[in-house]
Amino acid sequence: MSEQAELGRLAESGTAESSWRLWGPYLAGRQWGTVREDYSGNGDAWGYFSFDQARSRAYRWGEDGIAGICDRHGFLNLAVALWNGKDEILKERLFGVTNGEGNHGEDVKEHWWVLDGTPTHSWMRVLYRYPQAAFPYRELRALAAEARRDEREPKLADSGVLGENRFFDVTVTYAKAAPDDICVEISAVNQGPDPAPLHLLPQLWFRNTWSWGRDARRPALIASTADRWTRVLAEHSRLGRYTLHVSGDPTMLVTDNESDEMVLFGRAANASRYTKSGIDNHVVNGVAAACQVVTPGTASQPGTKAAAWYRFDAVPPGGEVTVQLRLIAGSGHGRAFGRTFKSTMKDRRKEAEEFYQDLPMPANPEENRVVRRALAGLMWTKQLYRFRVRHWLDGDPASPPVPPERRGPQGRNVHWRHLDVADVLSMPDEWEYPWFAAWDVAFHMLPFALVDPAFAKEQLLLLCREWMMHPNGQLPAYEWSFGDVNPPVHAWASLQVYRAEEQRTGFGDRVFLARVFHKLLLNFSWWVNNKDADGNYLFEGGFLGMDNIGPVNRSARLPEGWWFEQSDATSWMATYALHLMQIALELAREDEAYEDVATKFVEHFLGIAQASARFGSASRGIWDERDGFCYDLVSRHTPDGGVESQPVRVRSMVGLIPVLAAATLEPWVFDELPHFAERLNYLLRHQPEFGQFITWQTGIKGKRRALLSLLDEDKVRRVLACMLDESEFLSPYGIRSMSAAHRDGLAVEIAGEHHGVGYEPGESRTPMFGGNSNWRGPIWFPTNALLVEALHGLDGFHGGEFEVELPTGSGRHVPLGAVAADLSRRLASLFLPGPDGHRPADGKRVEASENPLWSEHITFNEYFDGDTGEGLGAAHQTGWTALVAVLLTGWPGMR
């Protein structure tokens, strides 16, 4: 790998506190409607703090904006506001509908794309599409209300206001001249057929930290046009002084980031003369006294929010207007827009190209473009996440008392008072999911490890830190319910990141591996103690991130006396045990104390495997011999003290998860770790029934290797026969989350009650879990990537000699590695032009049009239609969907 600038910056930036990581895209895409801002008694986050209030109401825990950045503490924020002369409000934030308004739950309605970026955020480019007509807020709400569940979510382009290209393409480019010296260029192109007015208002503001009665210190912004410099001076007790230089001769406006309580709540007066909506009221409504207007040669009084108001009365068709900003630590200087500004922009663009050339990028230009866009979007969705739960539960001294039910036994997150986060986290999506989720973060770290291994390792450790992990060992799931559970994939991701870095650099970070391992010991124990109700190694876990995949809500209680024993939860735990075993074995190569821990996880795995196969409740496991598939069970105690169980015969992803539970013990394990080998032999001598879950090989010079697997070879073949059947799971674009054999619906009995479920390839037809995601047929990248990695692992053990039909019934037999490669190809094809020149993921959306202004942009959705491949759900989910970059770059475990 050649030496180049971005690699040098990464070498200097091993921790979150590093100077090059101080500024980044950490400003949220949406802060309103989040749990953090919800101080209601009924937990209605969407209703308590609405989009309509956001322009006038100060946020408590964060900020949001369009194409914006902030410091890693979230104190000082910079973003773009716009006005086309017709909108009823200033365009300061992205618009979408709430859970109750959308036909599939919450849904952002606008169009924007992350074009490029580097891991230290030395270079970033984002494109935002802004209509020239009045933004149709009411019409979009009406369209969402009228749309049926079986229809696609209506977007801004569906309203008609973007017809004839009547929009501005606003590109915001950031380039760091130094860690605390950021050059910014905002350019807007009129793509329409007629001249159109545009107002650009770059805004700088402080997060409100002073109105809550906990810290009275108040920062200050002073806008000045004196000395022929147009600038904003920002003073903060922690950040120190920053200066925002602005080019040209805009009108400088200053207000305060304070709530307008007269408008919001009908109060007689406001705490501040100027409020958060002051600039909006001045520009849009012409209220002269709504904010300070800086006259030439003078300076404003201190405020906490400022804007540079640029007015372009008629941008011609194809015309472009550009403004420049420079945010510099200290007092700034008069050469902000001289040669260093231009050279910084030029150099950072060139260095970004060099950085990606040093990566194992695909040779195919289209594939290369997919990887680059996926990684840019992934890096952009890093956000500052602040949440001190005990203060949120108790309320602030200067705020109204919180309703008592918030702290009652049924209150949200009442058992997570210890959680105290103020960190930059990788978010699933900028708008629809502006909060972390435990298993999302784990999947994000594989593509992150391609470009920024230090950040990947830090994120995996972060969820295990004492201010996040519960004292009982549970990892926080997501802010709507930290006590819910996501699949335990943290050990898998940690092992993948460790191995990838070792292979690429020759250095395996054992300190990282040991740190995460020790914390995951606590988490594994939590699972064993809390999610195995009958103590029989058959686990329950609730929805486990796969939302509506079951006929009933698996997180809800069954009728009295019944409980779930889940195929996926049990298999996740078997897989978890194997991954912890592998980590312990790796650490034991330099510290023999870990050998004992490795044997513990072998025993856990073998116990789970035995229960899964034929023992456990009512002598029934998750394996169903009749169907050759794995199912959830519902069980109950009988009057005679026994247990009866019945399978939930639905072919879904929960029955494919058992394939993941496999791991190879390579010859070095038996050569270097004799105590582990001796203990394994002891187990097999005294409990020979465990032998069915271990396959042995003897290679060159008598070297032994072994495969530990939840399913033996025959069972794997039977499950794969279903998985690779095009009439069941195998789609042209990957593995469906539910078998298409259920197209006509399926009736099942669960705990004496009758329920229906069916294959739904696209959007969810049920409001379960909000209805904005669907696991009853669509293709999801996280589980598909896990299957690809598992198949490569099995192929590696069998040396390419384990062959199956692909597709089932075709008569074409291929090794498992070829199956994995085929699945990777199908998944990647979602984003590559097909024979008709269109990307399948674009479906029938506007991106599939012949208009290059739309078709040149790639959208990374949350999941994909199981039949057509059309992207569905969240539209900027370059979190786990960025796994496509891993598949296309030849990740060690994915090839």
Side-chain angles (χ1 to χ4, degrees), residues 255-312:
T255 189
D256 282 314
N257 187 12
E258 298 268 14
S259 294
D260 188 338
E261 298 192 353
M262 297 171 67
V263 168
L264 291 166
F265 311 119
R267 305 275 165 77
N270 288 318
S272 173
R273 176 183 175 185
Y274 303 113
T275 65
K276 182 178 178 179
S277 56
I279 293 171
D280 182 306
N281 282 329
H282 180 81
V283 173
V284 177
N285 300 321
V287 181
C291 65
Q292 299 182 62
V293 181
V294 181
T295 57
T298 67
S300 70
Q301 293 299 307
T304 48
K305 179 179 179 181
W309 183 10
Y310 294 89
R311 284 169 276 194
F312 304 98

Side-chain angles (χ1 to χ4, degrees), residues 635-710:
S635 304
R636 69 173 176 178
H637 292 291
T638 57
D640 61 3
V643 175
E644 67 174 7
S645 297
Q646 64 185 52
V648 181
R649 295 184 185 276
V650 178
R651 289 190 191 271
S652 72
M653 184 63 71
V654 302
L656 302 182
I657 300 301
V659 175
L660 308 179
T664 298
L665 299 176
E666 297 292 353
W668 67 261
V669 173
F670 304 102
D671 291 342
E672 298 179 28
L673 308 176
H675 299 302
F676 174 81
E678 180 182 340
R679 179 60 183 167
L680 182 58
N681 289 334
Y682 176 89
L683 279 173
L684 295 177
R685 284 197 307 272
H686 289 80
Q687 293 180 268
E689 65 273 16
F690 284 159
Q692 64 182 305
F693 307 110
I694 305 180
T695 303
W696 294 93
Q697 286 180 354
T698 302
I700 301 173
K701 297 182 180 180
K703 296 288 187 181
R704 292 194 308 164
R705 61 203 300 257
L707 176 72
L708 282 69
S709 179
L710 194 65

